[in-house]
Amino acid sequence: MTPEQRAARVGDSMMAADVASRLTMGMELVEVAPGRAVMRMTVQPLHLNGHQICHGGFIFTLADSTFAFACNSHNRNTVAAGASIEFLKPAHAGDVLSCEGVERLLQGRHGIYDMVVRNQRGETVALFRGKSAQIPGTVFPEDEAPE
């Protein structure tokens, strides 16, 4: 199995089980590759806060989910050990937010990943940096044949 095939299988496996991202948030997994992922969601009225802009927690969740797909793409169970976000521009109902996550460093059990959230006009809405930690196990058994 190539690293690209492994990442794609991880993405399919995780997305099928990720009720929060898929159903609650309405996210779509656009692309997954070794150390990289892209996700997208449309801001719905239920995502709006009292200022009628997208609640920062939903933008954080988009970035955090993208982080999860990027850092698990090597088929090693990996969780967030920490994260920070900078909100740079508001998002509004109907905006289509895309988040691209890229692995910056993978050393031992820890990694550093950067996410950029952009709207449909290509404007940067938020910057997110996550630190990952590998835990025991894999997303799917490596000796298992693909379905």
Side-chain angles (χ1 to χ4, degrees):
M1 178 178 305
T2 68
E4 290 76 18
Q5 291 169 325
R6 179 175 293 109
R9 184 147 179 222
V10 166
D12 290 344
S13 298
M14 286 180 59
M15 196 62 179
D18 191 345
V19 176
S21 295
R22 190 169 36 83
L23 299 179
T24 303
M25 296 292 297
M27 292 179 200
E28 170 190 1
L29 180 62
V30 176
E31 181 182 346
V32 64
R36 183 177 183 279
V38 178
M39 296 190 81
R40 177 172 47 222
M41 69 173 260
T42 300
V43 178
Q44 302 294 330
L46 62 90
H47 298 136
L48 302 182
N49 64 19
H51 298 293
Q52 294 300 291
I53 58 176
C54 187
H55 190 292
F58 292 117
I59 296 169
F60 185 96
T61 302
L62 173 62
D64 187 49
S65 292
T66 305
F67 172 40
F69 282 91
C71 68
N72 280 277
S73 64
H74 304 292
N75 197 30
R76 298 289 175 253
N77 282 344
T78 307
V79 295
S84 64
I85 193 164
E86 302 296 328
F87 299 107
L88 304 172
K89 185 171 190 62
H92 301 90
D95 279 351
V96 178
L97 301 180
S98 296
C99 182
E100 179 180 12
V102 177
E103 183 178 274
R104 297 296 181 202
L105 173 73
L106 184 58
Q107 188 172 347
R109 293 184 333 105
H110 298 280
I112 300 293
Y113 294 78
D114 287 329
M115 268 39 65
V116 179
V117 179
R118 292 184 176 93
N119 62 23
Q120 70 276 13
R121 292 175 297 281
E123 300 165 329
T124 300
V125 172
L127 299 173
F128 172 111
R129 174 162 273 191
K131 179 184 177 187
S132 68
Q134 288 181 4
I135 60 173
T138 58
V139 176
F140 67 88
E142 283 283 342
D143 58 345
E144 188 179 287
E147 299 170 357

